[in-house]
């Protein structure tokens, strides 16, 4: 039995399909019933949708928004379908365009495929057909996104956009960043202090289509309350004492790019209302002005506060929270991805060695203590710890005693220093050296050159020792 066609529209007995989270779809069709039916199907799959009833309206939408996919009717009033396809691909070359033809032949659709269309569907088509087609589009775009992610990881060698980490939690984060980068919607970045929220925001901006536009970070927690409004929205000459000339605000300076509101939970409640209006209406009013200025910026916001609790307590506007939380991601704390600690240590040590010209390495005991520590200050605390220890250590090796007291005095599990029977375990130096080398290579996922640098030995020495260990057994 065939599925019902889209007119009249029905959604009965439709198979569940994986959601197309974060993908933007533009539906271009001059028939209102078809537009709305397609929109309902697409939204049920998780697409963010926009509609246009003509080619000209579609062109205007493409100028102001970034679309991942376009559903294009080839029979539009006043425009040739293939010409519309060409112009859409010029404006959004990476968009997956699915053409819709009402003809009884696929000849025009085949020509459209030669001109860059991803796929086609003929009218009348059923709900099931459209769902399966959009599923293929979502899978295709996901694959492209993951390939782009892999290329970024190859370029940065250890992460995404300069972020370091190979833990499963970080792999998940990279996938979300790749999706969010190609969306125009606000993103709320959650995470404890020191996890790298601004680095994630920069990765989203510089991995997306507006990477050549400004990225303006704003630390909402450090701005003087009486000056926040003028800093964000600007002011006109004479607006207040000392305003000898007009000045653009940070939101105007980010035109066409991204404004990053770090610690957005610290914004005063009265300014939250003005921020909400700026985001909703896409316009700002400089201090002292009666004229509103249109803006075109992408909003990224970050906080280490529990905004749900802040909303309940009345410290944060519910409507602004929902407006910022269209897309959200959470950066895992360092204690939740301990396997990345050796990678981060190697990265920071190598950077400090290059800057200082001094070769220093971390002892095995110091590494164990740092792996056991919970790092409440996260990656920032780890970086500061290594810089401090590097500066205060006179010898070539950083020992446990050289670490800050809260880390150096951390008790390790007894199993690490005693046998099960309670007697001290005495390990020959050669065996201890072997364990240290093999553990370092294991922690670094087989990266022998990085292990050699971290251990302070030459790569030739390392390979010779590994050859000896292999011969032993």
């Amino acid at each position: 039995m065939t599925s019902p066609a889209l007119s009249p529209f029905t959604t009965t007995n439709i198979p569940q399909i994986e959601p197309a989270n974060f993908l933007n779809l533009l539906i271009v069709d001059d028939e209102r019933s078809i537009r709305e039916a397609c929109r309902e199907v697409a939204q049920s799959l998780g697409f963010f949708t926009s509609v246009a009833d003509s080619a000209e309206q579609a062109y205007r939408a493409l100028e102001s928004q970034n679309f991942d996919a376009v559903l294009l009717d080839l029979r539009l009033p006043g425009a040739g379908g293939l010409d519309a396809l060409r112009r859409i691909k010029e404006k959004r070359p990476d968009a997956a365009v699915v053409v819709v033809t009402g003809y009884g032949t696929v000849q025009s659709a085949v020509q459209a495929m030669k001109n860059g269309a991803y796929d086609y569907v003929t009218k009348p088509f059923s709900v099931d057909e459209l769902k399966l087609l959009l599923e293929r589009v979502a899978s295709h775009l996901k694959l492209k996104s993951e390939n782009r992610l892999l290329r970024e990881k190859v370029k940065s060698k250890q992460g995404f956009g300069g972020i370091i980490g190979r833990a499963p939690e970080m792999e998940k984060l990279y996938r979300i960043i790749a999706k969010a980068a190609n969306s125009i919607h606000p993103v709320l970045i959650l995470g404890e202090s020191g996890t790298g929220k601004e680095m994630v925001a920069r990765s989203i901006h510089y991995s997306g289509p507006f990477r050549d536009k400004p990225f303006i970070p704003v630390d909402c927690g450090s701005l003087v309350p009486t000056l926040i409004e003028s800093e964000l929205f600007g002011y006109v000459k004479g607006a207040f004492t000392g305003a000898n000339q007009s000045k653009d605000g940070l939101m105007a300076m980010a035109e066409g790019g991204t404004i990053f509101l770090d610690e957005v939970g610290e914004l005063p409640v009265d300014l939250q209302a003005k921020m909400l209006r700026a985001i909703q209406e896409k316009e700002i009013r400089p201090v002292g002005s009666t004229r509103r200025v249109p803006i075109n910026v992408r909003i990224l916001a970050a906080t280490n506060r529990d905004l749900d609790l802040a909303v309940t307590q009345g410290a944060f506007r519910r409507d602004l929270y929902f407006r910022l939380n269209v897309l959200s991601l959470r950066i895992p704390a360092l204690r939740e991805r301990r396997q990345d600690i050796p990678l981060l240590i190697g990265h920071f040590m190598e950077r400090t060695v290059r800057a200082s010209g001094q070769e220093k390495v971390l002892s095995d005991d110091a590494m164990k203590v740092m792996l056991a520590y919970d790092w409440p200050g996260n990656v920032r605390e780890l970086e500061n710890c290594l810089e401090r220890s590097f500066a205060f250590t006179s010898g070539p090796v950083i020992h446990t005693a050289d670490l800050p007291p809260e880390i150096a005095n951390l008790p390790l599990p007894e199993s690490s220093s005693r046998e099960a029977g309670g007697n001290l375990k005495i390990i020959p130096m050669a065996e201890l050296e072997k364990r240290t080398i093999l553990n370092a290579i294991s922690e670094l996922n087989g990266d022998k050159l990085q292990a050699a640098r971290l251990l302070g030995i030459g790569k030739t020495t390392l390979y010779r020792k590994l050859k000896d260990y292999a011969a032993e057994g």
Side-chain angles (χ1 to χ4, degrees):
M1 179 178 178
T2 58
S3 300
L6 279 177
S7 182
F9 178 64
T10 176
T11 58
T12 57
N13 300 319
I14 301 304
Q16 292 299 310
I17 296 174
E18 182 181 355
N21 295 323
F22 310 117
L23 296 177
N24 301 299
L25 173 68
L26 175 62
I27 301 166
V28 188
D29 199 299
D30 61 328
E31 295 184 52
R32 186 169 182 268
S33 61
I34 296 295
R35 287 198 308 272
E36 294 306 314
C38 292
R39 177 178 226 171
E40 188 170 342
V41 171
Q43 287 179 342
S44 73
L45 296 176
F47 281 92
F48 293 107
T49 60
S50 298
V51 295
D53 60 11
S54 67
E56 290 301 324
Q57 191 176 12
Y59 303 151
R60 289 195 295 271
L62 289 163
E63 289 289 347
S64 60
Q65 298 185 57
N66 182 44
F67 289 98
D68 302 290
V70 180
L71 191 62
L72 172 67
D73 188 354
L74 285 181
R75 295 192 69 180
L76 292 172
L82 295 178
D83 183 59
L85 170 64
R86 180 183 58 77
R87 292 189 60 179
I88 288 171
K89 293 299 289 184
E90 285 177 355
K91 293 177 181 293
R92 290 288 181 266
D94 292 332
V97 181
V98 175
V99 296
V100 180
T101 175
Y103 303 109
T105 174
V106 298
Q107 185 175 2
S108 57
V110 170
Q111 186 60 46
M113 299 275 285
K114 291 180 179 178
N115 290 359
Y118 168 72
D119 209 338
Y120 72 93
V121 64
T122 57
K123 292 182 180 178
F125 49 88
S126 69
V127 173
D128 280 3
E129 284 181 281
L130 181 60
K131 283 218 170 193
L132 292 172
L133 178 58
L134 291 179
E135 180 191 24
R136 289 203 303 273
V137 171
S139 298
H140 167 71
L141 292 170
K142 178 182 179 183
L143 182 60
K144 284 181 62 177
S145 175
E146 289 178 349
N147 287 339
R148 184 167 54 248
L149 167 62
L150 289 172
R151 288 194 299 270
E152 282 290 333
K153 289 178 69 178
V154 168
K155 283 192 291 184
S156 64
K157 295 183 181 179
Q158 294 176 322
F160 183 90
I163 305 171
I164 294 173
R166 293 174 179 163
E169 296 85 352
M170 296 302 290
E171 296 288 344
K172 179 180 178 182
L173 178 66
Y174 300 150
R175 288 193 292 270
I176 298 175
I177 290 174
K179 292 177 181 179
N182 290 284
S183 167
I184 60 168
H185 302 286
V187 179
L188 183 60
I189 304 169
L190 306 174
E192 296 179 7
S193 179
T195 51
K197 294 187 287 294
E198 182 172 338
M199 182 172 284
V200 167
R202 289 182 181 275
S203 293
I204 291 173
H205 173 77
Y206 289 108
S207 300
F210 310 117
R211 62 180 67 87
D212 297 328
K213 301 295 184 180
F215 175 88
I216 306 293
V218 182
D219 186 349
C220 300
S222 67
L223 291 176
V224 179
T226 55
L227 298 178
I228 293 180
E229 184 176 0
S230 59
E231 284 288 326
L232 285 172
F233 304 140
Y235 55 83
V236 297
K237 181 179 179 180
F240 49 82
T241 304
N244 299 321
Q245 60 183 12
S246 298
K247 180 184 176 183
D248 286 337
L250 296 173
M251 295 195 75
M253 292 169 61
E255 180 65 22
T258 300
I259 185 104
F260 172 53
L261 303 174
D262 195 11
E263 300 307 337
V264 69
E266 304 302 320
L267 278 178
V269 175
D270 59 333
L271 189 62
Q272 291 174 24
K274 296 177 181 178
M275 179 61 68
L276 175 66
R277 179 178 178 85
I279 297 172
Q280 287 186 158
E281 305 299 328
K282 298 186 183 301
E283 62 180 21
I284 56 174
R285 185 171 67 83
V287 176
S289 175
T290 58
R291 184 175 62 88
R292 296 193 176 276
V293 179
I295 57 169
N296 175 30
V297 295
R298 202 265 177 95
I299 304 292
L300 303 180
T303 182
N304 59 15
R305 293 183 61 185
D306 184 342
L307 287 189
D308 282 316
L309 180 61
V311 168
T312 302
Q313 295 173 343
F316 201 84
R317 291 181 63 104
R318 185 180 301 275
D319 45 8
L320 179 58
Y321 172 61
F322 288 133
R323 178 62 64 176
L324 293 174
N325 196 30
V326 176
L327 308 178
S328 67
L329 57 86
R330 176 184 172 274
I331 308 174
L334 188 53
R335 63 182 174 275
E336 297 172 0
R337 54 179 186 112
R338 293 182 191 272
Q339 69 192 76
D340 287 336
I341 291 176
L343 284 176
L344 289 160
I345 289 174
H347 169 74
F348 292 135
M349 290 284 287
E350 185 177 357
R351 191 177 67 184
T352 307
V353 166
R354 285 200 308 268
S356 66
Q358 297 178 317
E359 286 283 349
K360 294 187 182 183
V361 296
L362 198 68
S363 73
D364 187 52
D365 285 343
M367 174 69 82
K368 288 179 181 177
V369 172
M370 294 178 80
L371 283 168
Y373 184 59
D374 274 346
W375 300 104
N378 293 290
V379 178
R380 185 185 298 130
E381 183 184 6
L382 174 63
E383 181 180 9
N384 291 342
C385 165
L386 288 168
E387 288 180 350
R388 173 190 180 279
S389 302
F390 201 98
F392 285 97
T393 303
S394 56
V397 180
I398 298 175
H399 296 283
T400 304
D402 300 316
L403 303 176
E406 64 272 17
I407 303 174
N409 298 330
L410 185 72
L412 290 172
E414 288 193 13
S415 59
S416 66
S417 59
R418 293 181 180 270
E419 292 278 28
N423 297 322
L424 283 173
K425 182 182 180 183
I426 300 176
I427 305 173
M429 288 297 295
E431 177 64 20
L432 183 60
E433 180 188 67
K434 177 180 176 180
R435 291 187 186 184
T436 302
I437 290 174
L438 295 179
N439 285 340
I441 294 173
S442 176
E443 289 289 350
L444 295 169
N445 292 328
D447 190 337
K448 297 181 181 64
L449 293 180
Q450 180 76 343
R453 285 195 293 267
L454 187 61
L455 294 169
I457 59 178
K459 62 180 181 179
T460 304
T461 302
L462 177 66
Y463 284 113
R464 177 174 53 77
K465 289 183 178 293
L466 290 175
K467 185 177 179 180
D468 292 341
Y469 301 153
E472 290 173 8

